[in-house]
mmCIF file of all heavy atoms in Angstrom:
data_model
loop_
_atom_site.group_PDB
_atom_site.id
_atom_site.type_symbol
_atom_site.label_atom_id
_atom_site.label_comp_id
_atom_site.label_asym_id
_atom_site.label_seq_id
_atom_site.Cartn_x
_atom_site.Cartn_y
_atom_site.Cartn_z
ATOM 1 N N LEU A 32 -9.063 136.927 166.666
ATOM 2 C CA LEU A 32 -10.111 137.834 167.155
ATOM 3 C C LEU A 32 -11.351 137.623 166.420
ATOM 4 O O LEU A 32 -11.313 137.270 165.212
ATOM 5 C CB LEU A 32 -9.705 139.304 167.166
ATOM 6 C CG LEU A 32 -8.424 139.623 167.977
ATOM 7 C CD1 LEU A 32 -8.140 141.074 167.722
ATOM 8 C CD2 LEU A 32 -8.592 139.291 169.430
ATOM 9 N N CYS A 93 -35.990 142.266 172.886
ATOM 10 C CA CYS A 93 -34.714 142.832 172.365
ATOM 11 C C CYS A 93 -33.599 142.558 173.263
ATOM 12 O O CYS A 93 -33.745 142.361 174.541
ATOM 13 C CB CYS A 93 -34.896 144.380 172.157
ATOM 14 S SG CYS A 93 -35.112 145.276 173.657
ATOM 15 N N VAL A 101 -25.621 141.590 181.953
ATOM 16 C CA VAL A 101 -24.304 141.147 181.660
ATOM 17 C C VAL A 101 -23.250 142.316 181.556
ATOM 18 O O VAL A 101 -22.092 142.040 181.125
ATOM 19 C CB VAL A 101 -24.249 140.364 180.319
ATOM 20 C CG1 VAL A 101 -25.059 139.112 180.445
ATOM 21 C CG2 VAL A 101 -24.755 141.181 179.179
ATOM 22 N N LEU A 108 -9.428 145.175 177.025
ATOM 23 C CA LEU A 108 -7.993 145.523 176.875
ATOM 24 C C LEU A 108 -7.687 146.175 175.442
ATOM 25 O O LEU A 108 -8.320 145.959 174.514
ATOM 26 C CB LEU A 108 -7.176 144.285 176.956
ATOM 27 C CG LEU A 108 -7.308 143.389 178.287
ATOM 28 C CD1 LEU A 108 -6.525 142.075 178.119
ATOM 29 C CD2 LEU A 108 -6.781 144.251 179.456
ATOM 30 N N PRO A 113 0.536 143.479 175.766
ATOM 31 C CA PRO A 113 1.341 142.308 175.553
ATOM 32 C C PRO A 113 0.517 141.111 176.047
ATOM 33 O O PRO A 113 -0.299 141.134 177.020
ATOM 34 C CB PRO A 113 2.449 142.567 176.517
ATOM 35 C CG PRO A 113 2.595 144.010 176.638
ATOM 36 C CD PRO A 113 1.225 144.513 176.657
ATOM 37 N N ILE A 133 -12.520 138.018 176.323
ATOM 38 C CA ILE A 133 -12.037 139.415 176.557
ATOM 39 C C ILE A 133 -12.355 140.277 175.385
ATOM 40 O O ILE A 133 -12.259 139.876 174.214
ATOM 41 C CB ILE A 133 -10.439 139.360 176.836
ATOM 42 C CG1 ILE A 133 -10.219 138.489 178.074
ATOM 43 C CG2 ILE A 133 -9.871 140.753 176.879
ATOM 44 C CD1 ILE A 133 -8.754 138.102 178.096
ATOM 45 N N LEU A 145 -11.760 138.174 172.165
ATOM 46 C CA LEU A 145 -10.712 137.215 172.243
ATOM 47 C C LEU A 145 -11.136 136.093 173.171
ATOM 48 O O LEU A 145 -11.560 136.266 174.211
ATOM 49 C CB LEU A 145 -9.446 137.950 172.780
ATOM 50 C CG LEU A 145 -8.287 137.009 173.158
ATOM 51 C CD1 LEU A 145 -7.681 136.304 171.893
ATOM 52 C CD2 LEU A 145 -7.204 137.948 173.780
ATOM 53 N N THR A 147 -10.576 133.517 175.873
ATOM 54 C CA THR A 147 -9.631 133.418 176.949
ATOM 55 C C THR A 147 -8.752 132.163 176.848
ATOM 56 O O THR A 147 -7.579 132.168 177.210
ATOM 57 C CB THR A 147 -10.360 133.462 178.329
ATOM 58 O OG1 THR A 147 -11.054 134.604 178.422
ATOM 59 C CG2 THR A 147 -9.321 133.383 179.546
ATOM 60 N N VAL A 180 38.083 130.462 178.655
ATOM 61 C CA VAL A 180 38.984 129.710 179.499
ATOM 62 C C VAL A 180 40.119 129.071 178.626
ATOM 63 O O VAL A 180 41.382 129.088 178.998
ATOM 64 C CB VAL A 180 38.279 128.617 180.316
ATOM 65 C CG1 VAL A 180 39.239 127.660 180.954
ATOM 66 C CG2 VAL A 180 37.334 129.203 181.297
ATOM 67 N N LEU A 181 39.747 128.428 177.535
ATOM 68 C CA LEU A 181 40.705 127.794 176.682
ATOM 69 C C LEU A 181 41.692 128.871 176.089
ATOM 70 O O LEU A 181 42.951 128.612 175.934
ATOM 71 C CB LEU A 181 39.996 127.160 175.514
ATOM 72 C CG LEU A 181 39.162 125.883 175.890
ATOM 73 C CD1 LEU A 181 38.473 125.288 174.742
ATOM 74 C CD2 LEU A 181 40.176 124.789 176.505
ATOM 75 N N ALA A 220 93.679 150.065 173.458
ATOM 76 C CA ALA A 220 95.036 149.847 174.014
ATOM 77 C C ALA A 220 95.941 149.572 172.860
ATOM 78 O O ALA A 220 97.125 150.067 172.831
ATOM 79 C CB ALA A 220 94.981 148.662 175.014
ATOM 80 N N ILE A 232 95.832 147.936 157.597
ATOM 81 C CA ILE A 232 94.803 148.139 158.716
ATOM 82 C C ILE A 232 93.987 149.267 158.442
ATOM 83 O O ILE A 232 92.766 149.257 158.755
ATOM 84 C CB ILE A 232 95.550 148.208 160.017
ATOM 85 C CG1 ILE A 232 96.352 146.964 160.213
ATOM 86 C CG2 ILE A 232 94.677 148.427 161.153
ATOM 87 C CD1 ILE A 232 95.521 145.648 160.378
ATOM 88 N N ARG A 261 60.553 145.487 176.793
ATOM 89 C CA ARG A 261 59.140 145.682 176.415
ATOM 90 C C ARG A 261 58.379 144.399 176.160
ATOM 91 O O ARG A 261 57.276 144.204 176.574
ATOM 92 C CB ARG A 261 59.065 146.644 175.261
ATOM 93 C CG ARG A 261 57.510 147.041 174.899
ATOM 94 C CD ARG A 261 57.489 147.928 173.730
ATOM 95 N NE ARG A 261 55.983 148.189 173.475
ATOM 96 C CZ ARG A 261 55.587 148.643 172.259
ATOM 97 N NH1 ARG A 261 56.390 148.820 171.312
ATOM 98 N NH2 ARG A 261 54.298 148.829 172.146
ATOM 99 N N ARG A 299 46.147 149.791 169.681
ATOM 100 C CA ARG A 299 44.921 150.187 169.149
ATOM 101 C C ARG A 299 44.657 151.618 169.636
ATOM 102 O O ARG A 299 44.077 152.462 168.881
ATOM 103 C CB ARG A 299 43.833 149.237 169.750
ATOM 104 C CG ARG A 299 42.461 149.585 169.164
ATOM 105 C CD ARG A 299 41.449 148.669 169.592
ATOM 106 N NE ARG A 299 40.155 149.056 169.105
ATOM 107 C CZ ARG A 299 38.915 148.569 169.458
ATOM 108 N NH1 ARG A 299 38.907 147.660 170.345
ATOM 109 N NH2 ARG A 299 37.862 149.158 168.940
ATOM 110 N N VAL A 308 44.646 159.320 180.172
ATOM 111 C CA VAL A 308 45.057 160.170 181.220
ATOM 112 C C VAL A 308 44.916 159.229 182.509
ATOM 113 O O VAL A 308 43.856 158.775 182.826
ATOM 114 C CB VAL A 308 44.146 161.366 181.398
ATOM 115 C CG1 VAL A 308 44.524 162.143 182.590
ATOM 116 C CG2 VAL A 308 44.222 162.264 180.144
ATOM 117 N N TYR A 320 40.978 138.761 192.365
ATOM 118 C CA TYR A 320 41.317 137.810 191.355
ATOM 119 C C TYR A 320 41.952 138.552 190.179
ATOM 120 O O TYR A 320 41.100 139.106 189.362
ATOM 121 C CB TYR A 320 40.203 136.990 190.874
ATOM 122 C CG TYR A 320 39.495 136.184 191.998
ATOM 123 C CD1 TYR A 320 38.255 136.611 192.479
ATOM 124 C CD2 TYR A 320 40.062 135.075 192.619
ATOM 125 C CE1 TYR A 320 37.639 135.903 193.629
ATOM 126 C CE2 TYR A 320 39.480 134.356 193.578
ATOM 127 C CZ TYR A 320 38.258 134.830 194.107
ATOM 128 O OH TYR A 320 37.612 134.154 195.078
ATOM 129 N N VAL A 327 37.923 142.658 183.279
ATOM 130 C CA VAL A 327 36.970 143.731 183.408
ATOM 131 C C VAL A 327 37.514 145.030 182.885
ATOM 132 O O VAL A 327 36.870 145.721 182.121
ATOM 133 C CB VAL A 327 36.569 143.904 184.944
ATOM 134 C CG1 VAL A 327 35.665 145.217 185.110
ATOM 135 C CG2 VAL A 327 35.848 142.630 185.494
ATOM 136 N N TRP A 347 33.434 166.100 164.850
ATOM 137 C CA TRP A 347 33.845 166.293 166.247
ATOM 138 C C TRP A 347 35.253 166.697 166.394
ATOM 139 O O TRP A 347 36.157 166.185 165.803
ATOM 140 C CB TRP A 347 33.687 164.952 166.980
ATOM 141 C CG TRP A 347 33.790 164.995 168.501
ATOM 142 C CD1 TRP A 347 33.310 165.891 169.320
ATOM 143 C CD2 TRP A 347 34.649 164.081 169.266
ATOM 144 N NE1 TRP A 347 33.615 165.566 170.667
ATOM 145 C CE2 TRP A 347 34.471 164.553 170.596
ATOM 146 C CE3 TRP A 347 35.463 163.027 168.907
ATOM 147 C CZ2 TRP A 347 35.123 163.762 171.671
ATOM 148 C CZ3 TRP A 347 36.075 162.376 170.010
ATOM 149 C CH2 TRP A 347 35.874 162.736 171.363
ATOM 150 N N LYS A 375 15.294 147.110 196.764
ATOM 151 C CA LYS A 375 15.965 146.000 197.345
ATOM 152 C C LYS A 375 16.250 144.885 196.252
ATOM 153 O O LYS A 375 17.217 144.159 196.285
ATOM 154 C CB LYS A 375 15.119 145.256 198.432
ATOM 155 C CG LYS A 375 15.109 146.147 199.697
ATOM 156 C CD LYS A 375 14.331 145.359 200.785
ATOM 157 C CE LYS A 375 14.362 146.169 202.079
ATOM 158 N NZ LYS A 375 13.689 145.392 203.250
ATOM 159 N N SER A 393 37.819 152.996 194.707
ATOM 160 C CA SER A 393 37.008 153.422 193.547
ATOM 161 C C SER A 393 37.925 153.441 192.314
ATOM 162 O O SER A 393 38.999 154.056 192.346
ATOM 163 C CB SER A 393 36.439 154.751 193.780
ATOM 164 O OG SER A 393 35.883 155.371 192.634
ATOM 165 N N PHE A 416 23.096 141.402 175.459
ATOM 166 C CA PHE A 416 22.653 142.717 174.903
ATOM 167 C C PHE A 416 23.838 143.439 174.405
ATOM 168 O O PHE A 416 24.869 143.552 174.980
ATOM 169 C CB PHE A 416 22.040 143.563 175.974
ATOM 170 C CG PHE A 416 21.609 144.913 175.531
ATOM 171 C CD1 PHE A 416 20.412 145.035 174.763
ATOM 172 C CD2 PHE A 416 22.391 146.030 175.788
ATOM 173 C CE1 PHE A 416 20.081 146.321 174.286
ATOM 174 C CE2 PHE A 416 22.017 147.295 175.324
ATOM 175 C CZ PHE A 416 20.856 147.413 174.620
ATOM 176 N N GLY A 424 30.377 142.363 168.435
ATOM 177 C CA GLY A 424 30.103 142.269 169.854
ATOM 178 C C GLY A 424 29.295 141.077 170.136
ATOM 179 O O GLY A 424 28.421 140.625 169.496
#
Side-chain angles (χ1 to χ4, degrees):
L32 300 176
C93 69
V101 296
L108 299 175
I133 297 164
L145 170 64
T147 299
V180 171
L181 293 174
I232 297 299
R261 186 181 175 198
R299 188 175 174 191
V308 178
Y320 301 104
V327 173
W347 186 49
K375 288 185 178 181
S393 169
F416 177 78

